[in-house]
């Protein structure tokens, strides 16, 4: 009975898989210590100036789907950021108004409340600022925010919705359109997945193969160097050596810094099962191919991120385990937003070090993280890290952007005026230094 | 082996006495004509719909009803039948999309994961076939979104997964041509039971079931066509007989949208299918 024999073989190979899992389980004793690093927050941040109220989010949702924001009255945000497709559009590069593919892929919009910069190259500093980008981009919505606001003023429904959303000042203004859109997008929190159950302590939530994938992710494969935290992004910019059919310099162009050419923002890995194809140009069709890239596909060039593992070898089994693990960061059925309560974003709670003027940057951290100095004093940034940094101050009273600050470079920065300032890094926006500048001491 | 004998005996019975009373007898004997199990649109259904998660190979409510869920089949045949049913759904779903009927197409993209996948989930590993439930669901999302470009891309991804499933099966199957024919026959059996569900008297009252059965017949035709030359080399007459019976069978599904009155009744459909089955022994 050939059928019987084949059945027996099948059963045997299943048993073999089972054995393999048992052996794998023995090798992961310290995975549990990673749990806190991936714990989900219980509130979503909101800027003090634009708190997320239900009315504002509801207005933002309506505007997100409102084609009147576009020049031709036929395009809304949801035309490209389709809710059914995790707020992306399922294609590599969507055709713009002129019929030609847009330069970059439409990213999904999950968990942007925690974003530090927006767009693949981070050129927008806030969601509020981001919103006018697509509306006024001639190749996207080809609209005009001011004209759109005027159109909405003629709509009694819109007037009511703005009154509910902005009771203190119900004007239908460009700023309010942007704020409502931003508030809505801050409610697009990705739901809990099996991985979150594992983080919460349920060992069985992940299969042995998936745990092996996690072990690779935080271990040998080095993915966690960039895909870190519960959203699996460091919010930083890296060149990961993708072959580029059409050159796109990404962060390098946005900051006009050559060492950052071809660096793009690390995408979150949440709900990625639903958002193929991948990468800024949509050039990678599947999660399998994304994993293959890190082992076989990296194009060597001087701009490669120092955080990128080199010479990584992964067996077919290890690749499958990584893919299986990545899938646990996605819902098993098409996800819907799971909004969290919001809370005003709190600035760093770093202890202030008075008088310190030497600022280290090792391990992508300013050290100390908060200083108090006097006006006229100079901070010295010492790049004792292995990565390229860029010192920035983006403040109406003082704007400053250094060049590419390579490892070993030392950079002086004088604060002339009193006030509270924030220093960040243009490559690693999560780096943060609070500078309290006091009036100069009287002699 | 037992299964095949039973079915062959049954076909003989159909040929011998194609009477209106027959379907009941078939139901009793071969389990071919059974209760409709579609939770969504099969009004008569009492069987629970296949669980998207956790359904085992023996899970109830597979496409074409419980008795035809494939539970009794050997795993390789159950798996390849499942792949065939998925492809059948995609075929007819694609016809509807090409006609711009996105909403009508949607059920055909939801059924594979809701009803078929559960019957084969347990068999995938044994044949080294990577899971593809997400690819199915992601494809259905593009149909919900009525996004043609995204649909085409997601479709290509899924087709690649299904091709991998074919490879997994092929690697373990010594007589691929015959196995394909056997699978096509299983898919046709499902078509017959869907067709029966679609009919009330001589009217087609359930369009989705009609379309399901159309998709299955088209897929069975594709499968048989893919090995047609090899089969003809084994026995040209038998292969020609299969082709002729298939052509007769197909006339029951003249278009994606059902005809006003049914072209064939269920026993005529079953008769055509049994003509194909009768040739099996000569094409092994």
């Amino acid at each position: 009975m050939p059928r019987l024999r084949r059945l027996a073989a099948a059963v045997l190979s299943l048993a073999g898989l089972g054995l393999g899992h048992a052996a794998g389980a023995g090798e992961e004793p310290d995975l549990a210590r990673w749990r806190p690093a991936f714990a989900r927050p219980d509130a979503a941040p909101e800027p003090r100036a634009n708190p997320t109220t239900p009315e504002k989010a509801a207005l933002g949702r309506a505007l997100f789907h409102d084609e009147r924001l576009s020049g031709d009255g036929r395009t809304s945000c949801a035309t490209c950021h389709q809710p059914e497709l995790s707020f992306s559009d399922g294609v590599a590069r969507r055709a713009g108004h002129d019929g030609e593919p847009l330069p970059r892929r439409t990213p999904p919009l999950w968990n942007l409340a925690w974003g530090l910069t927006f767009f693949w190259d981070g050129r927008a500093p806030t969601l509020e600022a981001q919103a006018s980008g697509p509306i006024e981009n001639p190749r996207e919505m080809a609209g005009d925010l001011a004209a759109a606001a005027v159109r909405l003023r003629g709509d009694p429904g819109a007037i009511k919705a703005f009154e509910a959303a902005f009771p203190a000042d119900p004007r239908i203004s460009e700023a309010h359109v942007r704020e409502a859109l931003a508030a809505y997008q801050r409610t697009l929190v990705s739901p809990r997945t099996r991985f979150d159950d594992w983080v919460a302590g349920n060992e069985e939530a992940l299969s042995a193969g998936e745990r092996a994938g996690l072990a690779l992710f935080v271990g040998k494969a080095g993915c966690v160097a960039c895909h870190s935290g519960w959203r699996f992004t460091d919010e930083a910019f890296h060149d990961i050596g993708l072959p580029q059919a059409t050159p796109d310099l990404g962060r390098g162009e946005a900051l006009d810094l050559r060492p950052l050419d071809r660096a793009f923002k690390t995408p979150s890995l949440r709900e990625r099962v639903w958002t193929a194809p991948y990468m800024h140009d949509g050039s990678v069709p599947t999660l399998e191919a994304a994993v293959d890239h890190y082992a076989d596909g990296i194009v060597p060039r001087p701009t490669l991120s120092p955080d990128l593992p080199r010479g990584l070898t992964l067996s077919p089994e290890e690749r499958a385990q990584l893919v299986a693990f990545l899938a646990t960061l996605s819902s098993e059925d098409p996800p819907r937003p799971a909004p969290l309560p919001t809370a005003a974003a709190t600035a760093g709670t770093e202890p202030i070090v008075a008088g310190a003027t030497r600022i280290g940057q090792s391990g992508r951290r300013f050290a100390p993280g908060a200083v108090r100095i006097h006006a006229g004093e100079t901070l010295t940034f010492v790049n004792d890290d292995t990565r390229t940094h860029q010192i920035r101050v983006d403040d109406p009273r003082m704007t400053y952007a250094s060049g590419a600050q390579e490892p070993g470079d030392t950079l002086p920065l004088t604060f002339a005026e009193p006030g509270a300032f924030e220093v960040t890094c243009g490559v690693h926006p999560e780096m943060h230094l609070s500078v309290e500048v006091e009036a100069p001491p009287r002699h | 082996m037992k299964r095949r004998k039973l079915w062959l005996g049954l076909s003989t019975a159909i040929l011998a006495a194609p009477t209106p009373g027959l379907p009941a007898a078939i139901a009793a004997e071969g389990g071919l004509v059974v209760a409709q199990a579609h939770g969504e649109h099969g009004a008569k259904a009492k069987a629970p719909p296949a669980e998207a998660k956790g359904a085992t190979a023996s899970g109830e409510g597979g496409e074409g009803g419980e008795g035809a869920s494939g539970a009794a089949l050997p795993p390789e045949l159950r798996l390849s039948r499942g792949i065939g049913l998925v492809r059948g759904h995609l075929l007819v779903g694609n016809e509807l999309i090409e006609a711009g009927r996105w909403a009508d197409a949607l059920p055909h993209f939801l059924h594979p994961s809701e009803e078929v996948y559960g019957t084969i989930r347990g068999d995938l590993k044994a044949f080294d076939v990577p899971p593809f439930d997400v690819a199915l669901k992601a494809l259905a999302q593009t149909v919900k979104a009525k996004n043609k470009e995204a649909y085409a891309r997601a479709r290509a991804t899924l087709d690649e997964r299904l091709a991998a499933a074919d490879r997994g099966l092929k690697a373990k199957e010594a007589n691929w041509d015959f196995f394909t024919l056997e699978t096509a026959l299983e898919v046709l059996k499902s078509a017959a039971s869907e067709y029966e569900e679609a009919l009330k008297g001589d009217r087609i009252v359930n369009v989705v079931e009609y379309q399901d059965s159309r998709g299955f017949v088209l897929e069975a035709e594709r499968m048989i066509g893919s090995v047609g030359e090899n089969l003809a080399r084994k026995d040209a007459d038998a292969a020609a007989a299969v082709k002729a019976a298939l052509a007769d069978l197909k006339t029951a599904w003249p278009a994606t949208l059902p005809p006003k009155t049914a072209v064939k009744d269920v026993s005529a459909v079953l008769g055509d299918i049994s003509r194909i089955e009768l040739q099996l022994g000569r094409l092994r």
Side-chain angles (χ1 to χ4, degrees), chain B residues 183-200:
Chain B
T183 304
L185 196 63
E186 291 298 330
V187 171
L188 288 176
K189 287 201 248 173
S190 295
S193 71
E194 295 289 316
Y195 187 68
E196 190 190 21
E197 291 307 317
L199 278 185
K200 190 170 188 183

Side-chain angles (χ1 to χ4, degrees), chain A residues 211-223 314 318-319 321-322:
Chain A
R211 288 200 298 270
L214 168 59
L216 288 164
F217 191 91
V218 298
K220 170 181 155 183
C223 316
L314 294 171
E318 288 172 325
R319 292 174 200 218
Q321 288 167 337
L322 270 171

Side-chain angles (χ1 to χ4, degrees), chain A residues 112-389:
Chain A
L112 293 184
W114 290 267
L116 297 179
T117 65
F118 302 89
F119 291 122
W120 283 103
D121 56 11
R123 66 189 183 278
T126 61
L127 276 178
E128 283 79 359
Q130 188 277 336
S132 42
I135 296 176
E136 306 204 325
N137 182 329
R139 302 196 56 207
E140 295 189 8
M141 293 171 76
D144 168 346
L145 196 46
V150 171
R151 266 197 295 281
L152 291 171
R153 281 177 209 143
D155 172 358
I159 293 172
K160 264 220 167 104
F162 275 82
E163 277 169 4
F166 299 99
D169 170 14
R171 271 177 307 158
I172 301 186
S173 62
E174 294 171 51
H176 283 171
V177 171
R178 282 200 297 259
E179 286 172 19
L181 281 168
Y184 165 60
Q185 293 178 83
R186 291 195 179 94
T187 67
L188 305 180
V189 179
S190 68
R192 289 179 65 93
T193 69
R194 262 189 311 121
F195 176 70
D196 299 304
D197 292 343
W198 179 85
V199 168
N202 176 6
E203 195 64 19
E204 298 309 307
L206 300 187
S207 72
E210 289 160 349
R211 288 200 298 270
L214 168 59
L216 288 164
F217 191 91
V218 298
K220 170 181 155 183
C223 316
V224 80
C226 306
H227 298 285
S228 54
W230 77 278
R231 294 188 304 131
F232 291 85
T233 168
D234 59 359
E235 285 287 321
F237 300 87
H238 303 275
D239 174 3
I240 61 164
L242 290 169
Q244 282 190 335
T246 14
D248 181 342
L249 299 182
R251 191 63 171 165
E253 186 167 309
L255 296 183
D256 196 18
L257 293 179
R258 299 291 64 83
L260 290 175
D261 280 352
R262 295 182 200 82
F264 292 86
K265 189 172 65 175
T266 308
S268 168
L269 298 180
R270 288 271 174 184
E271 301 298 351
R272 258 41 192 188
V273 148
W274 305 104
T275 62
Y278 303 101
M279 307 300 176
H280 70 275
D281 54 2
S283 59
V284 171
T286 60
L287 289 177
E288 284 82 355
V291 168
D292 291 344
H293 165 77
Y294 291 99
D296 319 320
I298 295 174
V299 176
R301 52 194 180 215
T303 47
L304 285 185
S305 168
D307 292 302
L308 193 65
R310 311 296 160 87
L312 179 63
T313 54
L314 294 171
S315 71
E317 192 191 3
E318 288 172 325
R319 292 174 200 218
Q321 288 167 337
L322 270 171
V323 170
F325 164 67
L326 291 178
T328 70
L329 308 179
S330 292
S331 303
E332 320 220 326
D333 284 301
R336 293 155 161 273
L340 286 175
T342 49
T346 43
T349 46
E350 294 266 344
I352 298 176
V353 180
T357 53
R358 180 194 185 274
I359 311 293
Q361 291 163 262
S362 148
R364 307 191 201 180
R365 275 174 62 93
F366 287 123
V371 293
R372 188 180 299 123
I373 56 172
H374 289 113
E377 283 182 337
T378 298
L379 292 181
T380 305
F381 292 89
V382 181
N383 188 349
D384 48 2
D385 199 11
T386 52
R387 305 164 178 87
T388 305
H389 292 293

